[in-house]
Amino acid sequence: GQNIDQPTEMTATEGAIVQINCTYQTSGFNGLFWYQQHAGEAPTFLSYNVLDGLEEKGRFSSFLSRSKGYSYLLLKELQMKDSASYLCAVVDSNYQLIWGAGTKLIIKP
Amino acid sequence: ETGVTQTPRHLVMGMTNKKSLKCEQHLGHNAMYWYKQSAKKPLELMFVYNFKEQTENNSVPSRFSPECPNSSHLFLHLHTLQPEDSALYLCASSQGDRGAYNEQFFGPGTRLTVL
């Protein structure tokens, strides 16, 4: 079967750095998305990786290793507004999005 | 209005009621999706429409009935639901329903409670 694993919940301090990991076992791979979802709101696009390596976008970076079936989202200089759920999703060989259950990130002052 | 909108935002219904969820996208996309989101579970894809044609139906019970009259509008008709159907129902749209980089744009969801 297809599977995406992420930690259920993480806690970090304002101003710090946090890394949210995502491991996947899917039938084929055509890219990996990270979405952010604030409570009661729509998920919004953060990043897309299809090649190995690190993609940096402001305070957020996303890393991919296809050989290891592994990605992480790195958030720097954490702000209170970064408190949200972070969803990892993989595009499989049929171009279907396979979703993880999401990681709830709690930021403390 | 911009992006993807959904109405109503909250819905409480009894098991014998019939109601409909509405989704509208203003992005010129060709594909639209219904997802179910339950607490601490992955997003569950329910239905996919591309150019108004249904391309996916992931073994969804018949008490959920989708309708896509055009590429901008998507409905989910509900009847004789069960309490376990209580969840957040998300609508999304994308340029097409295939392709590797196929970013989906989500609406804010309808929080459904079945009593």
Side-chain angles (χ1 to χ4, degrees):
Chain A
Q2 309 208 82
N3 194 50
I4 310 285
D5 286 315
Q6 311 178 228
T8 303
E9 188 173 296
M10 299 181 70
T11 302
T13 305
E14 191 177 13
I17 299 174
V18 71
Q19 177 175 310
I20 303 174
N21 296 325
C22 171
T23 57
Y24 61 89
Q25 299 93 36
T26 55
S27 57
F29 178 85
N30 280 301
L32 185 146
F33 286 90
W34 283 97
Y35 279 80
Q36 180 190 59
Q37 185 179 22
H38 286 101
E41 297 183 13
T44 54
F45 170 83
L46 284 178
S47 66
Y48 172 77
N49 294 68
V50 67
L51 299 177
D52 290 350
L54 186 69
E55 296 271 348
E56 297 187 69
K57 193 185 294 186
R59 294 188 299 114
F60 292 11
S61 302
S62 56
F63 171 84
L64 175 67
S65 169
R66 289 172 296 173
S67 62
K68 295 182 179 178
Y70 168 69
S71 173
Y72 67 72
L73 183 68
L74 190 71
L75 291 73
K76 303 177 183 176
E77 301 169 18
L78 286 170
Q79 302 175 8
M80 298 303 293
K81 67 179 182 180
D82 298 329
S83 293
S85 288
Y86 292 85
L87 311 179
C88 173
V90 172
V91 185
D92 71 5
S93 57
N94 292 321
Y95 298 104
Q96 296 288 331
L97 263 182
I98 311 301
W99 294 86
T103 299
K104 183 179 180 180
L105 178 63
I106 299 168
I107 309 297
K108 295 186 175 180
Chain B
E1 293 271 20
T2 58
V4 182
T5 57
Q6 289 186 244
T7 55
R9 293 293 309 274
H10 300 271
L11 178 62
V12 179
M13 59 187 289
M15 289 191 283
T16 58
N17 292 158
K18 288 185 179 180
K19 297 286 184 183
S20 294
L21 310 185
K22 179 183 175 183
C23 175
E24 185 173 356
Q25 59 96 0
H26 309 268
L27 299 168
H29 288 162
N30 297 311
M32 297 188 77
Y33 309 76
W34 278 119
Y35 284 94
K36 176 183 180 182
Q37 187 175 37
S38 302
K40 299 184 180 181
K41 289 185 178 180
L43 284 173
E44 297 175 47
L45 180 64
M46 301 174 72
F47 302 104
V48 182
Y49 279 82
N50 193 34
F51 290 100
K52 303 186 298 179
E53 298 296 322
Q54 188 178 122
T55 57
E56 291 288 337
N57 176 343
N58 280 359
S59 304
V60 180
S62 59
R63 57 186 184 269
F64 294 92
S65 174
E67 180 189 357
C68 188
N70 54 60
S71 293
S72 299
H73 294 85
L74 185 63
F75 296 89
L76 188 63
H77 303 299
L78 317 171
H79 63 99
T80 59
L81 293 191
Q82 304 298 312
E84 59 263 30
D85 296 323
S86 298
L88 182 68
Y89 288 84
L90 289 166
C91 173
S93 71
S94 64
Q95 192 61 45
D97 70 341
R98 288 292 184 264
Y101 183 71
N102 195 25
E103 180 186 345
Q104 294 182 16
F105 294 77
F106 286 84
T110 295
R111 174 66 63 187
L112 174 67
T113 303
V114 181
L115 302 176

